[in-house]
């Protein structure tokens, strides 16, 4: 992998990640951009104890542009975009309309391919490995910032999820606090550790799932399963067999095997509802909307979680869709949005069975 860092016209950082070591990236951003001004701030809710990012400048962000005006496609002639070069493998750059900025953290965009009509599922294994290396590199770099406590790599895919740019891309949020969902996990880990005399909760959950009927696929270094208490209609958790706290902890064997496993899961998601493979638009049901979310241990202090260290956390990826059946979505209505109590219409055992049925031949 070759990494080349440059600056856009308004001062934001952009990084090319290339498969070839001899690739030259010296194209300049020719857009007449003024320096980005953000109004992001983090406010703490005194009743719930969580934090809300207020970012009014995001009201003006790019919204469903036509394909020939996509800001994530490479620059072609006089059609200028966020990526100055005429092609790329993988690119990461600071978001022009960030939810978090300055002392409130940082937001980045990850472009998986220059092919506007592709999806992550269309990538080769080499290219998927390059994305993994970019996620890992950004986690390492962002964790060194004094304003950052947790790094979150994720992909929103599909208009149903709320995606406003159709180009295949994900994001990285570097939070200045430990997120509420991670804090809940850490409290559960602490309680379990105390109650069992030191047993790790993540290890216990993984062993339970391996012994049950919800395993979707397993390899030498990875296990994918639908969790016992899945919140979403089709939800898969992907764990490395060897517990590590973050992407930096993965060994070479796990890294090498990840692209094949992850691409297979994404392709199965596209087969759930109509039997089609691949991620491109076509006849029949539109590609499955999903969120893919990496859960990593916070880099800040963990004193509030009694007896828990970073090594007690287990890196894992959660992949889920809001589509519950063909043509119907799962909405977060009163119980979910008002009380955070999820009601799942698809039994996890049935979801796991379906995801096994649609395996690649």
């Amino acid at each position: 992998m070759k990494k080349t860092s440059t600056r856009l016209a308004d001062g934001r950082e952009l990084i090319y990640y290339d498969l070839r070591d001899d690739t030259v990236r010296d194209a300049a951003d020719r857009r007449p951009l003024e320096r980005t001004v953000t109004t992001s701030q983090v406010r703490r809710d005194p009743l719930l104890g969580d934090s809300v990012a207020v970012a009014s400048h995001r009201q003006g962000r790019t919204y469903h542009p036509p394909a020939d005006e996509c800001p994530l496609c490479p620059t072609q002639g006089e059609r200028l975009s966020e990526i100055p070069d005429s092609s790329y493998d993988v690119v990461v750059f600071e978001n022009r309309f960030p939810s978090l900025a300055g002392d409130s953290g940082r937001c980045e965009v990850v472009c998986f391919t220059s092919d506007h009509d592709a999806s992550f599922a269309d990538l080769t294994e080499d290219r998927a490995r390059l994305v993994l290396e970019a996620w890992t590199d950004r986690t390492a770099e962002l964790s060194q910032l004094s304003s950052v406590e947790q790094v979150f790599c994720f992909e929103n895919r599909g208009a149903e999820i709320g995606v406003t740019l159709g180009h295949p891309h994900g994001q990285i949020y570097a939070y200045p606090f430990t997120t509420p969902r991670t804090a809940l996990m850490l409290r559960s880990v602490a309680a379990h550790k105390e109650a069992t005399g030191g047993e790790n909760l993540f290890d216990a959950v993984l062993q339970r799932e391996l012994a049950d009927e919800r395993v979707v696929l397993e390899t030498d270094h990875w296990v994918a399963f639908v969790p016992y208490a899945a919140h979403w209609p089709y939800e898969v958790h992907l764990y490395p067999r060897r517990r590590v706290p973050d992407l930096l902890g993965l060994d070479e064997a796990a890294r090498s095997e990840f692209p094949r496993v992850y691409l297979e899961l994404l392709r199965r998601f596209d087969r759930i509802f109509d039997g089609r493979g691949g991620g491109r638009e076509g006849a029949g049901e539109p590609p499955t909307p999903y969120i893919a979310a990496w859960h990593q241990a916070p880099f800040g202090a963990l004193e509030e979680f009694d007896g828990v260290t970073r090594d007690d956390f287990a890196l894992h990826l959660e992949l889920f869709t809001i589509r519950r059946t063909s043509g119907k979505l799962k909405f977060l209505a009163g119980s979910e949005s008002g009380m955070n109590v999820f009601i799942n219409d698809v039994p996890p055992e049935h979801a796991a069975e379906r995801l096994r049925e649609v395996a690649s031949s």
Side-chain angles (χ1 to χ4, degrees):
M1 177 190 80
K2 181 180 181 181
K3 175 183 175 183
T4 306
S5 181
T6 185
R7 291 282 171 179
L8 297 174
D10 55 7
R12 289 175 293 131
E13 185 178 19
L14 180 143
I15 306 165
Y16 294 98
Y17 293 90
D18 287 293
L19 291 170
R20 292 174 56 97
D21 290 337
D22 59 353
T23 303
V24 177
R25 299 295 186 186
D26 56 6
D29 184 2
R30 294 179 282 135
R31 296 172 298 171
L33 297 180
E34 297 181 357
R35 187 164 293 273
T36 301
V37 177
T38 62
T39 57
S40 176
Q41 58 178 281
V42 173
R43 299 183 181 182
R44 188 164 181 80
D45 186 319
L47 294 179
L48 297 179
D50 59 10
S51 299
V52 176
V54 180
S56 59
H57 62 277
R58 284 173 53 80
Q59 288 280 35
R61 65 186 184 274
T62 308
Y63 187 80
H64 291 299
D68 60 357
E69 296 179 16
C70 174
L72 306 185
C73 288
T75 290
Q76 297 292 335
E78 295 306 309
R79 193 188 67 75
L80 309 179
S81 75
E82 289 279 68
I83 296 91
D85 216 325
S86 58
S87 66
Y88 61 84
D89 288 347
V90 174
V91 166
V92 177
F93 61 88
E94 287 184 77
N95 198 321
R96 191 177 179 187
F97 303 97
S99 301
L100 307 165
D103 293 339
S104 297
R106 175 159 158 153
C107 292
E108 299 181 341
V109 177
V110 184
C111 296
F112 304 138
T113 171
S114 58
D115 183 352
H116 180 86
D117 297 316
S119 75
F120 201 119
D122 295 316
L123 299 182
T124 63
E125 290 188 14
D126 284 346
R127 187 67 61 86
R129 169 66 186 260
L130 187 60
V131 175
L132 175 63
E133 297 305 325
W135 283 331
T136 305
D137 180 70
R138 297 314 300 151
T139 296
E141 293 288 332
L142 293 169
S143 69
Q144 298 302 309
L145 300 179
S146 60
S147 62
V148 172
E149 190 165 310
Q150 186 172 359
V151 179
F152 176 45
C153 307
F154 65 101
E155 180 191 1
N156 297 330
R157 192 264 198 124
E160 300 94 328
I161 297 293
V163 174
T164 57
L165 296 176
H167 196 102
H169 73 288
Q171 300 181 67
I172 302 174
Y173 276 21
Y175 297 101
F177 50 79
T178 297
T179 61
R181 187 175 176 87
T182 302
L184 285 173
M185 292 184 195
L186 290 169
R187 292 189 188 101
S188 296
V189 169
H192 186 84
K193 190 174 185 179
E194 181 178 6
T196 60
E199 182 182 60
N200 182 272
L201 179 58
F202 286 107
D203 292 349
V205 167
L206 184 56
Q207 290 307 309
R208 173 185 176 178
E209 295 293 351
L210 280 168
D212 219 312
E213 60 183 311
R214 290 175 300 276
V215 172
V216 174
L217 65 85
E218 52 181 313
T219 63
D220 290 343
H221 303 285
W222 295 90
V223 178
F225 59 88
V226 177
Y228 172 75
H231 289 58
W232 299 94
Y234 291 90
E235 175 181 342
V236 174
H237 293 192
L238 177 63
Y239 278 69
R241 288 185 183 270
R242 184 177 68 88
R243 172 164 44 91
V244 295
D246 51 44
L247 289 166
L248 283 71
L250 292 175
D251 60 22
E252 178 57 29
R255 291 181 182 280
S256 296
E257 198 175 67
F258 171 78
R260 176 171 60 86
V261 174
Y262 188 48
L263 290 171
E264 172 64 15
L265 284 178
L266 292 181
R267 290 162 186 168
R268 290 191 194 190
F269 259 57
D270 273 328
R271 298 186 182 99
I272 293 173
F273 301 104
D274 67 355
R276 268 195 318 111
R280 295 175 183 267
E281 298 281 356
E285 192 80 24
T288 303
Y290 65 72
I291 293 174
W294 279 109
H295 291 260
Q296 305 192 81
F299 288 92
L302 300 178
E303 285 86 356
E304 63 180 292
F305 310 104
D306 295 338
V308 172
T309 69
R310 293 192 77 250
D311 289 335
D312 289 316
F313 194 87
L315 167 77
H316 63 283
L317 183 139
E318 298 184 9
L319 173 67
F320 60 90
T321 179
I322 62 171
R323 185 177 291 161
R324 56 186 175 87
T325 189
S326 182
K328 298 178 181 178
L329 302 180
K330 166 65 179 176
F331 292 101
L332 300 190
S335 186
E336 292 89 355
S337 296
M339 285 289 133
N340 200 28
V341 177
F342 276 68
I343 300 169
N344 191 351
D345 304 304
V346 180
E349 293 73 21
H350 293 181
E353 181 180 7
R354 178 59 179 155
L355 285 162
R356 289 192 295 267
E357 288 176 348
V358 295
S360 298
S361 57

